[in-house]
């Protein structure tokens, strides 16, 4: 049996995790499993998967929520808050610095060359994400039909992402009633099949007192979450007014936080529709560049919202033209707050309910249908990136053959040779820089 873990020891681990959590949700969940289940044995395989299945149901970044859940289970609310914050904080600090370098010096040949190679690599990465999620989620013709319908809805009909999620959930609910054998996948995570030895939180470990359901505790968490949202939003409205950029960012990213079913790739079209199309906080090219930065930093990929906030705050000069960096940094911190606050509330409020059912929790057919719909949405995102990166002057003009070649090379490295995302991005960045220096454009 592993030795008990002090709060300080756990804190140091969560801090380390914040700096090494590369690879998107799949890579981050793999790191958590390797460190906490296999190596340290803080939690058993079955309890780990049980927590993960709950996080898969929630809107928001499942890897960050899983870290919050395990931290809460081990060291009460303070453990969950520390685990969740440290999962995000290093990424926020790194992205603020990189976003400033991008917006202030992005026109230099060095930065432009690096992004020239990174953007086609990101296009290939999004295609790989659609393939990876699709190969796991689309197990029958029913789910293929939902994925196809979601693609048509967002690509051809331009329906908003929330409507697609709602329709998919309804289809899953109905499908689960009339054909339950086709909607019983539970998000792709099955029962535990391995044991790595006794764990601190083992299969038969009793639920700790703080993790037992209490109506009073649920009310306390709900009220605290409401206040933590209302106070900063009220301050923004009192100081700047409802129509100010910072206030609108707070409201918009609160809505985005409640719609991130299926991970960051699924919500990016919604963020694009609002941040680029409706509010004009940044351009389509900047949105692609932001995703490229998000892919190269640790932490949840949804942290691209910090880039969106920084660029929007910087360009809109939200605290005056003499304090552009301060305005960008303030906006980045605000959107991160409003994006991640619901995740903490969901875990601290819902965790006791989940712990009361571990061993027989069954995840509903709507989740399976939503996951299938996400595949169609991500495919649309890949086409969006491909269009803007490979045909920068429009389909009526010739494609950018150098970008196309880099995209193909990235796809081969990802699909054929199974290379890592960071390795592919770094290699493509070098190729792009060489191409821009050798062939000025």
């Amino acid at each position: 049996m592993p030795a008990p873990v002090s709060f300080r020891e756990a804190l140091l681990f969560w801090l380390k995790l914040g700096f090494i959590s590369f690879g998107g949700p799949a890579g981050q969940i793999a790191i958590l499993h390797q460190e906490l289940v296999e190596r340290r044995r803080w939690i058993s395989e079955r309890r780990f998967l049980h927590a993960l299945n709950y996080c898969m149901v929630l809107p928001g970044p499942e890897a960050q929520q899983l870290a919050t859940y395990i931290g809460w289970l081990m060291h009460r609310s303070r453990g969950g808050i520390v685990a969740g914050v440290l999962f995000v904080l290093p990424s926020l600090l790194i992205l603020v610095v990189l976003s400033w370098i991008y917006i202030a010096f992005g026109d230099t040949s060095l930065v432009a060359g690096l992004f020239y190679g990174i953007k086609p690599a990101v296009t290939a990465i999004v295609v790989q994400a659609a393939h990876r999620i699709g190969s796991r989620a689309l197990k029958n013709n029913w789910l293929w039909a939902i994925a196809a319908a979601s693609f048509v809805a967002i690509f051809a009909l331009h329906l908003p992402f929330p409507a697609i999620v709602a329709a998919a959930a309804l289809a899953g609910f109905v499908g689960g009633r009339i054909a339950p054998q086709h909607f019983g996948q539970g998000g792709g995570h099955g029962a535990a099949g391995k044991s790595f030895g006794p764990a601190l939180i083992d299969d038969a470990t009793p639920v700790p007192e703080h993790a037992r359901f209490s109506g009073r505790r649920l009310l306390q968490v709900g009220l605290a979450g409401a206040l933590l949202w209302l106070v900063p939003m009220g301050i923004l409205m009192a100081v700047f007014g409802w129509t100010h950029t910072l206030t609108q960012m707070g409201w918009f990213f609160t809505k985005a936080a409640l719609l991130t079913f299926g991970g960051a790739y699924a919500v990016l079209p919604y963020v694009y529709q609002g941040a680029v199309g409706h509010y004009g906080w940044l351009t389509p090219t900047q949105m692609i560049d932001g995703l490229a930065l998000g892919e190269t930093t640790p932490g949840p990929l949804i942290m691209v919202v910090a880039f969106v906030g920084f660029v929007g705050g910087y360009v809109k000069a939200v605290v005056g033209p003499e304090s552009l960096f301060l305005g960008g940094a303030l906006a980045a911190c605000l959107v991160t707050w409003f994006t991640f606050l619901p995740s903490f509330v969901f875990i601290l409020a819902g965790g006791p309910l989940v712990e009361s059912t571990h061993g027989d929790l069954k995840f509903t057919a709507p989740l399976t249908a939503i996951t299938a719909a996400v595949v169609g949405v991500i495919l649309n995102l890949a086409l969006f990136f491909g269009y803007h990166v490979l045909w920068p002057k429009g389909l009526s003009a010739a494609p950018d053959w150098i970008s196309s070649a880099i995209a193909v090379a990235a796809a081969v490295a990802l699909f054929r040779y199974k290379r890592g995302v960071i390795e592919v991005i770094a290699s493509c960045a070098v190729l792009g820089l060489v191409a821009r220096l050798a062939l000025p454009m």
Side-chain angles (χ1 to χ4, degrees):
M1 178 69 67
V5 179
S6 67
F7 179 74
R8 180 178 180 276
E9 182 182 352
L11 185 149
L12 292 175
F13 169 76
W14 299 125
L15 178 61
K16 169 190 170 184
L17 181 68
F19 285 98
I20 66 170
S21 56
F22 292 95
Q28 291 156 2
I29 291 169
I31 291 172
L32 283 167
H33 186 276
Q34 183 181 45
E35 289 284 341
L36 302 185
V37 177
E38 300 178 31
R39 183 178 167 209
R40 301 171 189 264
R41 289 183 286 129
W42 288 1
I43 188 169
S44 70
E45 170 93 351
R46 188 178 299 276
R47 297 287 283 268
F48 180 90
L49 287 179
H50 181 76
L52 176 58
N53 277 335
Y54 174 57
C55 296
M56 287 289 295
V57 174
L58 300 174
E62 58 263 32
Q64 185 261 352
Q65 290 170 332
L66 179 60
T68 304
Y69 190 106
I70 296 173
W72 161 79
L73 197 57
M74 295 181 63
H75 294 109
R76 308 175 67 91
S77 295
R78 66 170 183 165
I81 293 170
V82 164
V85 168
L86 292 181
F87 198 92
V88 171
L89 188 58
S91 178
L92 172 61
L93 298 177
I94 293 170
L95 273 173
V96 165
V97 173
L98 292 179
S99 299
W100 173 70
I101 293 173
Y102 169 82
I103 199 69
F105 306 103
D107 291 333
T108 65
S109 58
L110 173 61
V111 175
L114 292 173
F115 274 94
Y116 182 71
I118 289 174
K119 286 188 282 190
V122 169
T123 303
I125 290 167
V126 176
V127 172
Q128 185 202 34
H131 176 268
R132 184 178 64 245
I133 297 174
S135 62
R136 187 188 74 220
L138 306 182
K139 300 297 186 182
N140 56 65
N141 291 336
W142 290 64
L143 301 178
W144 272 100
I146 292 173
S150 73
F151 174 76
V152 172
I154 196 166
F155 179 78
L157 304 179
H158 306 290
L159 294 181
F161 180 67
I164 296 172
V165 169
L170 178 61
F173 177 79
V174 175
R177 294 297 185 91
I178 64 178
Q181 69 275 19
H182 297 305
F183 290 86
Q185 298 173 51
H189 298 282
K194 294 182 180 180
S195 174
F196 298 92
L200 282 175
I201 304 174
D202 218 337
D203 293 352
T205 301
V207 176
E209 179 60 32
H210 72 273
R212 298 182 185 276
F213 177 74
S214 163
R216 179 183 176 185
R217 188 177 294 125
L218 178 63
L219 181 62
Q220 289 175 338
V221 172
L223 288 175
L227 285 174
L228 289 171
W229 184 87
L230 284 170
V231 169
M233 182 59 73
I235 292 173
L236 289 175
M237 290 183 63
V239 174
F240 298 107
W242 174 249
T243 59
H244 191 269
T245 297
L246 290 177
T247 310
Q248 287 298 300
M249 282 183 173
W251 176 239
F252 174 75
F253 284 103
T254 297
K255 293 186 291 182
L258 301 175
L259 297 170
T260 51
F261 293 96
Y265 287 116
V267 81
L268 282 173
Y270 177 70
V271 174
Y272 172 81
Q273 287 175 342
V276 177
H278 181 70
Y279 292 105
W281 294 329
L282 69 174
T283 67
T285 299
Q286 289 172 334
M287 185 72 189
I288 299 172
D289 293 343
L291 181 57
L293 282 179
E295 290 279 10
T296 59
T297 54
L301 183 56
I302 193 59
M303 281 303 297
V304 68
V305 301
F307 174 86
V308 173
F310 186 94
V311 173
Y314 190 100
V315 171
K316 298 293 185 180
V318 292
V319 293
E322 69 284 352
S323 304
L324 296 179
F325 175 83
L326 178 61
L330 176 61
C333 292
L334 277 174
V335 302
T336 301
W337 175 269
F338 286 110
T339 299
F340 284 92
L341 177 62
S343 292
F344 288 94
V345 176
F346 289 144
I347 296 301
L348 299 180
L353 292 170
V354 177
E355 282 301 303
S356 68
T357 60
H358 80 77
D360 64 353
L361 183 65
K362 298 191 184 300
F363 287 87
T364 59
L367 172 62
T368 301
I370 289 172
T371 305
V374 162
V375 178
V377 173
I378 296 174
L379 180 59
N380 172 75
L381 185 67
L383 291 179
F384 164 78
F385 282 170
Y387 170 77
H388 283 279
V389 173
L390 307 182
W391 280 272
K393 298 180 181 179
L395 292 176
S396 59
D400 185 329
W401 294 110
I402 297 177
S403 289
S404 301
I406 294 175
V408 170
V412 170
L414 291 166
F415 284 93
R416 175 68 178 84
Y417 295 103
K418 312 298 182 185
R419 310 309 300 184
V421 168
I422 299 301
E423 185 179 356
V424 170
I425 287 179
S427 301
C428 292
V430 173
L431 290 175
L433 179 60
V434 171
R436 288 295 293 260
L437 294 178
L439 301 169
M441 301 176 188

